[in-house]
Amino acid sequence: MNLPDLCQERNRAKTDIEFINIDLDIKPLFKGKKYFLRTYGCQMNVHDSEEIKYYLECLGFSSTNTLEDADIVVLNTCAIRENAKDKVYGYLGRCKHLKKEKKDLIICLAGCLMQEPHEIENLRKNHDYIDIIIGTHNLHELPKLIAKKKGMQQVEVYSNSDKVYENIRYSRDSKISAWINIAYGCDKFCTYCIVPYTRGRERSRKIENILEEVTYLKNKGYQEITLLGQNVNAYGKDLNLGYDFATLLEEVAKTGIPRLRFVTSHPWNFTDEMIDVIAKYPNIMPYIHLPIQSGSDAILKKMNRRYTISEYKALFEKIKSKIKNVAVTTDIIVGFPGETEEDFLKTLEIVDYCKFDGAYTFIFSKRMGTAAALMPDNTPLEEKEERLRRLNEVVNKYSLINNQKLLNQEVEVLVTEESEKGRNKVCGYTDTFKLVNIEGSKDLIGKIVKVKITEAKSFSLDGIALTEKVNN
Ligand code: 5AD
Ligand code: SF4
């Protein structure tokens, strides 16, 4: 079976919905004890950690930022690249050392890395000091495992799931800006990517459950919602209920939440309806993260990305022409197996063409079990590093040029927190998702504020607060 066939097969599988009432079963057995939670990886993991926090807090734990003070350590792991894995194992060394002094310390590993069978085997064999191992599909079982923890390693990982759980509660990091999962998993099988294996098949939440969560958060005063999915444009396909991502986006916008965002979009099947809805509603932020991965058609084909550069360009142009003032960022991989200097030059060319507002750039990392891991790869690491350096130079040039266009302009910023850049400074993001450090008081936090931009750098802007937005 070739890859697209396999994807169709998976799309036909039925998504089961299960409502859970997990908090009713949790007893606060650990009052006065402390948890230390460390999150690796993407927004999906950050949001999963908000679920983990909820369970830990229901169990009676309170948070600490000092590892040595913890009674339970939870590492929520990432598997996307080898260095994410190395960081986890590096940190485990510290945890193991601490456990020697603190025998009752509970060590728990969660997240994507736990979905890889060879990792579990390694953890079972070589890291017996770890108490609990839990996967991405069953986080709601964590409180049960912690409560019954009994000296031996407990591993509770489902290899796959057709389920969507509803009624999940979160202890959210912010009272201003919230993540909402709209779909889990991914069926795209880009050949370099481990996500379809660690997060399972694509499964969407029903629109009514998402809207209920949006309304609940809006009523609590949230100013911004980000809809989360590995591939948001696939939203709804598995449900077959006659609605898609454009429908969802429009319905969420209509709730009147002040700011609405979404990540991540795939260039394949980014529909005209989506573009029209984004253009129509002022509360849908003009910011699109649209991973391109490579500028070479030959490499895109090997990556199983399902679009050519001319198709990406056509989509990019449509987005730029229809959505006023839109910012587009991207992801790019260099050193994919078989990438030649000519292929890489095409990547530089497309960056020159699109002049992205920003790009996350990576060196290809071989993930065991993915199709690309078996492809011949003769490019030396030093050459890949050199390509990354050359790419970043161009990427940063355009980030700066785009930011400089905002100099002396007035922009709207949702102020989310105090800035690390000094006293009497706060920070937040523009509608186009640019970070601004603002001279202004803490009272601005939680508000959408007009800011005059006074300085532009590659990765952030400086500004002065003018007024609070009128309809705030
Ligand atoms: N190696 C390098 N980068 C990767 N990404 C995903 N898998 C890999 C890999 N094996 C990058 C892609 C993706 C982003 C989230 O991470 O660019 O869009
Ligand atoms: Fe991975 Fe994204 Fe491709 Fe899915 S669409 S396989 S998450 S890179």
Side-chain angles (χ1 to χ4, degrees):
M1 200 188 286
N2 64 30
L3 285 173
D5 279 350
L6 177 67
C7 300
Q8 306 254 313
E9 198 56 38
R10 283 159 62 101
N11 273 341
R12 277 202 294 272
K14 194 176 158 296
T15 301
D16 268 345
I17 299 182
E18 186 177 326
F19 282 79
I20 52 174
N21 259 326
I22 198 77
D23 50 335
L24 299 177
D25 303 330
I26 308 180
K27 310 248 170 343
L29 302 168
F30 297 87
K31 276 228 158 86
K33 304 275 184 191
K34 295 228 170 339
Y35 74 85
F36 177 92
L37 170 62
R38 202 173 163 97
T39 309
Y40 300 83
C42 66
Q43 294 96 332
M44 197 70 77
N45 261 22
V46 172
H47 189 35
D48 280 354
S49 282
E50 294 182 327
E51 183 182 348
I52 294 174
K53 264 168 57 176
Y54 176 77
Y55 299 139
L56 294 171
E57 287 167 12
C58 283
L59 281 164
F61 291 102
S62 59
S63 153
T64 174
N65 290 325
T66 312
L67 177 68
E68 287 69 25
D69 290 347
D71 300 289
I72 181 167
V73 176
V74 183
L75 305 185
N76 191 11
T77 66
C78 169
I80 199 102
R81 281 170 293 275
E82 193 69 14
N83 59 356
K85 173 179 144 180
D86 294 344
K87 281 187 206 158
V88 172
Y89 277 97
Y91 210 79
L92 266 181
R94 278 185 70 181
C95 299
K96 181 180 179 182
H97 185 72
L98 185 62
K99 186 143 181 170
K100 278 191 190 137
E101 293 159 16
K102 213 171 172 178
K103 295 275 179 274
D104 287 341
L105 178 69
I106 305 173
I107 300 179
C108 169
L109 290 192
C112 289
L113 210 51
M114 302 306 109
Q115 293 298 140
E116 297 195 73
H118 57 274
E119 291 302 337
I120 302 220
E121 210 178 298
N122 175 36
L123 292 168
R124 270 187 196 277
K125 262 199 218 145
N126 305 320
H127 300 263
D128 60 353
Y129 58 91
I130 294 168
D131 300 283
I132 296 167
I133 293 174
I134 194 159
T136 56
H137 299 299
N138 56 330
L139 276 182
H140 59 277
E141 292 188 312
L142 185 61
K144 184 183 78 189
L145 294 178
I146 296 173
K148 77 168 191 204
K149 189 232 149 205
K150 287 262 167 10
M152 56 195 256
Q153 195 174 67
Q154 306 178 77
V155 181
E156 200 62 62
V157 178
Y158 303 171
S159 63
N160 214 331
S161 174
D162 285 341
K163 279 209 170 118
V164 160
Y165 292 102
E166 286 299 341
N167 262 356
I168 296 176
R169 309 285 180 86
Y170 301 93
S171 185
R172 294 180 192 268
D173 294 330
S174 164
K175 295 198 165 13
I176 301 160
S177 181
W179 310 104
I180 294 188
N181 283 324
I182 62 162
Y184 303 93
C186 183
D187 281 353
K188 287 288 169 289
F189 285 93
C190 301
T191 54
Y192 50 81
C193 187
I194 196 75
V195 168
Y197 307 93
T198 58
R199 291 277 174 178
R201 58 167 281 261
E202 220 152 58
R203 346 193 264 287
S204 306
R205 292 179 68 195
K206 281 195 169 171
I207 197 164
E208 58 267 31
N209 297 325
I210 297 170
L211 289 172
E212 204 177 272
E213 193 171 348
V214 174
T215 309
Y216 167 80
L217 292 168
K218 180 174 174 270
N219 291 342
K220 287 194 99 174
Y222 277 84
Q223 297 295 304
E224 179 173 80
I225 272 171
T226 304
L227 305 178
L228 273 184
Q230 301 294 348
N231 171 15
V232 290
N233 11 1
Y235 172 78
K237 289 189 197 312
D238 54 311
L239 295 174
N240 215 4
L241 289 170
Y243 51 73
D244 60 10
F245 185 62
T247 327
L248 173 71
L249 208 49
E250 180 153 32
E251 290 306 312
V252 178
K254 279 194 209 155
T255 64
I257 186 83
R259 282 187 163 199
L260 173 55
R261 302 185 183 279
F262 54 92
V263 277
T264 291
S265 308
H266 193 298
W268 189 78
N269 211 19
F270 196 110
T271 62
D272 287 354
E273 287 78 15
M274 278 170 66
I275 299 178
D276 291 343
V277 171
I278 299 164
K280 180 172 165 192
Y281 289 87
N283 58 343
I284 304 181
M285 295 297 98
Y287 166 75
I288 295 173
H289 184 62
L290 195 66
I292 189 165
Q293 311 298 2
S294 168
S296 153
D297 283 341
I299 296 296
L300 288 174
K301 195 150 194 235
K302 283 190 188 173
M303 289 176 162
N304 190 33
R305 286 294 287 177
R306 304 150 186 250
Y307 53 84
T308 60
I309 284 303
S310 72
E311 285 164 344
Y312 186 97
K313 276 185 180 172
L315 172 62
F316 181 85
E317 289 306 336
K318 214 186 294 178
I319 288 172
K320 283 276 181 181
S321 68
K322 288 202 170 176
I323 306 170
K324 220 176 90 202
N325 189 33
V326 69
V328 179
T329 58
T330 199
D331 289 345
I332 301 171
I333 297 174
V334 299
F336 185 82
E339 184 191 69
T340 61
E341 174 67 14
E342 287 68 41
D343 291 316
F344 173 66
L345 288 175
K346 287 181 183 156
T347 297
L348 293 185
E349 233 170 75
I350 192 70
V351 174
D352 258 325
Y353 178 91
C354 294
K355 304 178 173 50
F356 294 108
D357 286 84
Y360 299 94
T361 56
F362 313 101
I363 293 179
F364 168 75
S365 172
K366 195 172 176 170
R367 309 315 295 134
M368 205 193 281
T370 62
L374 302 172
M375 296 179 187
D377 185 3
N378 301 320
T379 315
L381 180 62
E382 301 77 62
E383 199 164 327
K384 294 186 181 191
E385 285 169 346
E386 183 56 15
R387 283 181 196 167
L388 184 70
R389 195 196 55 74
R390 287 158 70 196
L391 174 63
N392 284 341
E393 220 168 75
V394 186
V395 161
N396 296 346
K397 177 179 90 181
Y398 287 116
S399 301
L400 181 61
I401 290 173
N402 282 308
N403 282 352
Q404 279 169 338
K405 287 183 194 152
L406 294 177
L407 257 183
N408 301 317
Q409 304 278 314
E410 282 179 25
V411 294
E412 283 184 4
V413 177
L414 171 58
V415 180
T416 51
E417 60 202 320
E418 284 183 73
S419 166
E420 289 167 358
K421 299 286 171 191
R423 282 166 65 103
N424 211 27
K425 279 202 167 184
V426 288
C427 64
Y429 286 87
T430 62
D431 55 351
T432 51
F433 205 55
K434 292 176 191 291
L435 175 66
V436 191
N437 289 299
I438 306 161
E439 242 162 79
S441 86
K442 275 197 281 187
D443 301 344
L444 298 175
I445 293 174
K447 292 174 179 157
I448 296 171
V449 187
K450 277 220 186 318
V451 172
K452 183 167 178 184
I453 300 301
T454 52
E455 196 176 338
K457 305 166 207 166
S458 268
F459 304 112
S460 68
L461 301 158
D462 289 342
I464 300 172
L466 300 174
T467 52
E468 207 175 294
K469 193 179 164 188
V470 198
N471 62 355
N472 224 207

